[in-house]
Amino acid sequence: MLKPANVPNYFRAVSQVVSNQLTAGNQAAILPSKSIVYVPYTGTSALALSRALPSGNVSVTTGPAVSTQVRWAHTDITVPDFSAYRKDSVKSPNVRSSDSEDSRKNFTYLIASAFGVGSAYSAKAVVSQFVSSMSASADVLALAKIEIKLADIPEGKSVTFKWRGKPLFVRHRTQEEIQIEQSVPASSLRDPQHDNERVQRPEWLVVLGVCTHLGCVPIANAGDFGGYYCPCHGSHYDASGRIRKGPAPLNLEVPEHIFPSDDLLIVG
Amino acid sequence: MNLLTGLQFSKQFPKKMGFQQTVYNLVFKRTSTMALACVASVFFFERTFDLGSEYFFDKINEGKLWKHIKDKSQ
């Protein structure tokens, strides 16, 4: 029990006086010492507070010769045992740690690599998810192609379909038209293309119904060349969809198309 | 050139080059080879992990998926 009355016992300093084996000389005279009475400054006045503060150059001395450390000699505390946290290969004091250095490094780097592999896998999954969201969805892909039954188009007729939001002309050409278009020299054209470059089968012409001038829809079987005629600014296309007269700079565009059978055309 | 430094070093100080040391010198010593090893192992890991997770998903949802009831409903 620590009582206030007992406290001074714990703070009692023990001093040891060692005799220096010298005899003090007799004093010739005893001077009366002035008794100085220090009156502590009390109160909370500005003067009292300022006097209570240390004045002048305040310095704290520390260094090798001046010990500021208090070290209690506790010899009964054992050094903690960290062997539970240490690797087995470095526990023995008789084994060189450099012998197991590579295996310890390998373990650490293997763990780091495993995290690397995991993050690369996750990153790839995230990226491919976002990239695949940009690809065309099933409904868009369903509209990307059009199947046309060729038997429904009589000879000499041009039929318009809607394909990818644009008009598509499929023209069943007569033998006469084929002969005329085949015999046109490509050098005489504004956008030189022979008829064979534009059709896969001579009797079927597949072109986009968009005038290359300003994007109007040409009228089939009209114009000076018997093919298409754009009413907006008077561009004349022939039966191969090539520009022959008027402001349009290019031939009508031929989309990718295949004939899987004699009776079927697939555009797209 | 630098890749051989470890090998040359071990030639200077002949010591039995164990499996761990070989792996360390060839793969983990340099960051570039370690990253390369990571990328290479991702290919195999992805294949294994995806197939394995698909397998477990099918196993857990046995009889609930369309491919399991497809034959019965047709």
Side-chain angles (χ1 to χ4, degrees), chain A residues 98-99 102-107 109-110 112-114 116-118 120-121 124-125, chain B residues 15 19-21 23-25 28-29 34 37-39 41-42 45-46 49-50 53:
Chain A
S98 63
D99 289 346
D102 288 326
S103 66
R104 282 181 285 124
K105 278 180 181 171
N106 277 350
F107 176 74
Y109 285 128
L110 195 68
S113 306
V117 167
Y121 171 77
K124 192 248 171 188
Chain B
K15 189 177 137 186
F19 172 72
Q20 297 274 9
Q21 199 187 351
V23 169
Y24 176 71
N25 282 339
F28 292 123
K29 194 167 185 175
M34 184 172 153
C38 278
V39 170
S41 46
V42 161
F45 173 74
E46 185 186 31
F49 188 78
D50 286 356
S53 44

Side-chain angles (χ1 to χ4, degrees), chain A:
Chain A
M1 190 70 181
L2 191 66
K3 287 178 185 170
N6 294 337
V7 169
N9 291 334
Y10 293 96
F11 292 117
R12 193 163 54 200
V14 177
S15 62
Q16 202 172 11
V17 178
V18 179
S19 169
N20 58 4
Q21 304 293 319
L22 296 172
T23 51
N26 292 327
Q27 287 176 319
I30 296 170
L31 294 173
S33 59
K34 264 187 186 173
S35 65
I36 302 162
V37 179
Y38 291 100
V39 181
Y41 293 99
T42 54
T44 53
S45 67
L47 178 68
L49 288 172
S50 73
R51 289 281 171 87
L53 288 172
S55 59
N57 292 327
V58 180
S59 62
V60 176
T61 313
T62 185
V66 184
S67 177
T68 52
Q69 184 183 9
V70 179
R71 182 176 287 192
W72 307 102
H74 285 296
T75 52
D76 55 337
I77 295 177
T78 53
V79 176
D81 181 18
F82 288 108
S83 58
Y85 303 98
R86 297 170 72 193
K87 289 179 175 172
D88 289 336
S89 50
V90 288
K91 270 181 188 170
S92 170
N94 302 322
V95 174
R96 278 191 302 174
S97 63
S98 63
D99 289 346
S100 61
E101 186 186 0
D102 288 326
S103 66
R104 282 181 285 124
K105 278 180 181 171
N106 277 350
F107 176 74
T108 309
Y109 285 128
L110 195 68
I111 298 297
S113 306
F115 274 102
V117 167
S119 30
Y121 171 77
S122 323
K124 192 248 171 188
V126 168
V127 168
S128 56
Q129 191 183 358
F130 279 106
V131 169
S132 64
S133 74
M134 289 182 217
S135 67
S137 53
D139 61 330
V140 174
L141 285 176
L143 293 174
K145 290 194 174 201
I146 184 170
E147 278 185 28
I148 294 161
K149 263 191 180 177
L150 295 176
D152 296 344
I153 305 169
E155 200 170 338
K157 281 274 183 183
S158 178
V159 182
T160 309
F161 298 93
K162 191 185 172 189
W163 176 69
R164 295 187 187 175
K166 285 172 277 190
L168 177 79
F169 294 153
V170 179
R171 187 186 185 92
H172 195 169
R173 301 195 293 188
T174 59
Q175 285 301 319
E176 193 190 340
E177 282 176 326
I178 295 167
Q179 277 173 9
I180 293 170
E181 302 309 333
Q182 295 275 354
S183 60
V184 173
S187 55
S188 69
L189 298 168
R190 182 179 299 166
D191 185 7
Q193 260 186 323
H194 193 261
D195 189 50
N196 290 337
E197 298 172 45
R198 297 177 55 78
V199 291
Q200 292 181 15
R201 290 188 192 174
E203 59 267 31
W204 295 104
L205 173 73
V206 182
V207 286
L208 281 183
V210 178
C211 179
T212 54
H213 179 223
L214 287 172
C216 291
V217 179
I219 299 163
N221 291 326
D224 293 354
F225 296 89
Y228 299 94
Y229 171 71
C230 181
C232 293
H233 302 94
S235 294
H236 299 257
Y237 299 91
D238 61 17
S240 186
R242 298 176 291 194
I243 180 66
R244 300 295 286 271
K245 193 178 164 186
L250 297 168
N251 301 334
L252 290 178
E253 190 187 338
V254 178
E256 273 187 40
H257 60 283
I258 48 167
F259 296 92
S261 66
D262 283 350
D263 196 27
L264 197 65
L265 163 69
I266 293 179
V267 183

